[in-house]
Amino acid sequence: MKFSLKLVLSIIAIMACILSCSRFFIIRQSFRHSIEKSANQNSNQNIAQRYYLESNIVNNIQQGEEITNEKIIEYIKSLYSYIGENSEKIVLYDETENVIFSNFEKTKDMNINILLKEETDNYYIRRVENRHYMLFSSYLTINNNVIYIINIYDITDLYEERNKQMKEVLIVDFIILSIASIFIIIFSALLTKHIKKLNIISKKIARGEFSNRISIKSKDEIGELANSFNIMTEEIENKINSLNLVIKQKDDFINGFTHEIKTPMTAIIGYSDMLRLKKCDEQLTKKALNYIYTEAKRLEKLSYKLMNLMALSENSIELESVDICDFVNKISSKITNLENITLKISLEPAKIKGDKELLEVVIRNLVENAKKSEPKDNTILIKRRNYKRRKI
């Protein structure tokens, strides 16, 4: 899943959760307030009705009338004819929990027995056949007989109003989330476009295109990330270029060194083949063997030097002071395969820092290259060339 899609879904989920919780809390508080308000009204009405019933019974007792269950039912009917029969329902019980009077047919489904106790200010809510009722209980003592009064009020309209509010809230929240989703998608696309650029450039760099850079003109964290990414890419490119240069230099060195080794090897093979196939006098044999030995020792030194230069040995190259005139003269005396070419040396006394074996390789290569170019008058001149030192 893409980051932009994760961002959109996360924000929408958070918004939906916040909206749902806040709306639920508001509707719940409003519903509880409505229930409490209805309970207060019904409680006051219940008290008024009980007071009316008690006052009528007391008046009849004072007049000497006998109070029976039939009289109580008659009082209740007169009460309901006064206040309206549809306003509430009432059920009367005697001490043995037998119904004396009831204008509500669904009392068996309400578990009213729990209310047949002493009078309490609490109310109970029961649900019967998708309707909700609020129940209050009270009692009267008449001629040492206890009569329980259960008042039942229909509060279904409160629950219907709550459900209606919930549906309206769901519709409004859906519209809000739909509109918000459009803005969130646009915002997410704008926010992640720089990340997409970084992803594209990083893939190109992974393919070896180190010259690519990302241009993000932003002062936030993504801008800082892009700047750090460019710095990292530049460092990688420099490192890669340095490594390629080192590899190229090593390849060039190995090729040159291989060429240098071929020269003494050719001479060694030639002299050894001559000694193997021909009968030579003592002087020629000694000269050939001496040349083979000298060139073999030089090859040995060159091989060690190659190992040092290629970092394959623990020994390092140590530079020493070399008198260039004496050194060139000694080297020139060792070069014997010039074949009718005169070697002249014109050098001023000077000392340099260097490695004798490598310097010998350089001078021999220069002479060999000069020989191959067929010099004028068959003369090779080794001299010093003066360069003006530049100020850095």
Side-chain angles (χ1 to χ4, degrees):
M1 185 181 293
K2 292 185 177 180
F3 174 75
S4 58
L5 183 57
K6 289 182 180 179
L7 183 63
V8 171
L9 294 178
S10 298
I11 295 176
I12 292 175
I14 292 172
M15 287 186 62
C17 182
I18 293 174
L19 283 174
S20 300
C21 292
S22 60
R23 301 289 185 142
F24 173 79
F25 178 78
I26 293 172
I27 293 175
R28 180 174 177 271
Q29 291 298 109
S30 176
F31 176 72
R32 290 182 62 181
H33 177 72
S34 299
I35 290 291
E36 293 297 330
K37 183 178 179 180
S38 178
N40 291 331
Q41 292 176 351
N42 294 333
S43 178
N44 293 332
Q45 185 177 353
N46 182 37
I47 293 172
Q49 292 174 6
R50 189 184 64 182
Y51 177 77
Y52 173 80
L53 185 62
E54 286 180 346
S55 62
N56 276 276
I57 292 174
V58 170
N59 289 333
N60 290 331
I61 292 174
Q62 290 176 351
Q63 293 177 4
E65 293 185 9
E66 183 181 358
I67 303 300
T68 62
N69 291 341
E70 289 75 11
K71 286 285 185 182
I72 294 174
I73 293 172
E74 183 181 345
Y75 292 149
I76 291 174
K77 287 182 178 180
S78 64
L79 174 64
Y80 272 84
S81 64
Y82 173 75
I83 62 177
E85 292 186 359
N86 294 327
S87 61
E88 67 170 307
K89 305 296 180 181
I90 189 169
V91 181
L92 299 182
Y93 290 88
D94 59 15
E95 291 179 330
T96 60
E97 299 184 3
N98 294 319
V99 177
I100 299 175
F101 171 79
S102 174
N103 60 355
F104 186 71
E105 299 177 352
K106 304 173 182 177
T107 55
K108 294 181 179 179
D109 301 328
M110 287 190 172
N111 190 21
I112 295 180
N113 294 336
I114 195 174
L115 302 177
L116 302 181
K117 298 178 180 179
E118 294 183 354
E119 184 178 0
T120 176
D121 293 332
N122 293 332
Y123 60 88
Y124 297 86
I125 295 178
R126 296 288 187 269
R127 180 180 178 182
V128 179
E129 296 181 358
N130 295 326
R131 299 194 68 83
H132 294 80
Y133 299 93
M134 182 179 289
L135 284 67
F136 288 89
S137 67
S138 59
Y139 71 96
L140 293 175
T141 303
I142 303 172
N143 295 335
N144 296 324
N145 294 322
V146 177
I147 298 176
Y148 295 98
I149 304 172
I150 306 298
N151 295 88
I152 304 171
Y153 301 91
D154 191 347
I155 57 171
T156 305
D157 57 337
L158 297 180
Y159 283 87
E160 290 177 350
E161 180 63 24
R162 184 194 65 176
N163 295 336
K164 179 182 177 182
Q165 291 178 355
M166 291 293 292
K167 291 180 180 178
E168 292 176 350
V169 164
L170 288 175
I171 294 173
V172 172
D173 288 351
F174 177 78
I175 295 173
I176 292 174
L177 288 175
S178 299
I179 297 173
S181 298
I182 297 174
F183 288 99
I184 292 171
I185 291 172
I186 296 173
F187 171 75
S188 175
L190 293 175
L191 184 64
T192 57
K193 68 177 182 179
H194 296 316
I195 299 178
K196 292 180 180 177
K197 288 183 180 179
L198 281 170
N199 186 32
I200 293 172
I201 296 298
S202 62
K203 288 181 179 179
K204 289 183 179 180
I205 291 173
R207 293 195 297 265
E209 302 175 14
F210 298 103
S211 59
N212 288 278
R213 298 293 184 273
I214 185 168
S215 177
I216 297 179
K217 296 181 180 179
S218 176
K219 295 183 180 179
D220 56 8
E221 288 81 358
I222 294 181
E224 293 179 0
L225 176 62
N227 186 41
S228 301
F229 185 85
N230 289 335
I231 294 173
M232 179 192 69
T233 305
E234 186 175 355
E235 289 295 326
I236 292 175
E237 184 179 12
N238 293 335
K239 293 292 185 183
I240 294 296
N241 292 334
S242 299
L243 290 174
N244 290 333
L245 179 61
V246 170
I247 293 172
K248 184 177 181 303
Q249 290 175 343
K250 286 188 176 182
D251 289 341
D252 293 341
F253 175 79
I254 292 173
N255 292 334
F257 216 88
T258 303
H259 174 73
E260 180 62 26
I261 290 176
K262 287 181 180 179
T263 302
M265 287 296 295
T266 302
I268 291 172
I269 293 171
Y271 277 108
S272 60
D273 191 53
M274 181 186 69
L275 293 175
R276 184 175 64 88
L277 298 176
K278 297 180 180 180
K279 276 190 174 184
C280 302
D281 56 20
E282 184 178 354
Q283 184 178 359
L284 183 58
T285 301
K286 185 177 181 181
K287 179 182 178 181
L289 292 173
N290 184 58
Y291 191 84
I292 291 172
Y293 175 79
T294 303
E295 292 300 312
K297 293 296 289 184
R298 190 163 75 89
L299 283 176
E300 182 184 27
K301 291 180 180 180
L302 287 175
S303 63
Y304 288 144
K305 196 64 63 177
L306 176 62
M307 292 175 63
N308 292 334
L309 290 174
M310 296 299 295
L312 298 177
S313 173
E314 296 180 355
N315 299 324
S316 59
I317 302 297
E318 295 183 1
L319 301 181
E320 56 182 316
S321 179
V322 180
D323 189 327
I324 193 63
C325 292
D326 292 341
F327 182 76
V328 172
N329 287 327
K330 290 179 181 179
I331 296 302
S332 62
S333 63
K334 295 180 181 179
I335 302 175
T336 58
N337 58 343
L338 293 181
E339 298 177 358
N340 301 322
I341 293 179
T342 304
L343 183 61
K344 291 185 178 181
I345 301 172
S346 176
L347 296 172
E348 297 179 1
K351 289 187 178 182
I352 61 172
K353 285 282 188 179
D355 185 273
K356 290 183 178 181
E357 285 79 9
L358 296 179
L359 285 174
E360 181 178 349
V361 171
V362 172
I363 295 173
R364 283 178 175 271
N365 283 336
L366 291 174
V367 173
E368 289 289 336
N369 292 334
K371 173 186 173 183
K372 293 178 182 178
S373 63
E374 298 180 356
K376 187 179 180 181
D377 300 329
N378 293 329
T379 302
I380 298 175
L381 177 61
I382 301 177
K383 69 177 183 178
R384 175 185 174 187
R385 183 173 181 180
N386 294 323
Y387 291 92
K388 292 183 179 180
R389 181 176 295 177
R390 294 180 296 177
K391 293 183 179 180
I392 298 176

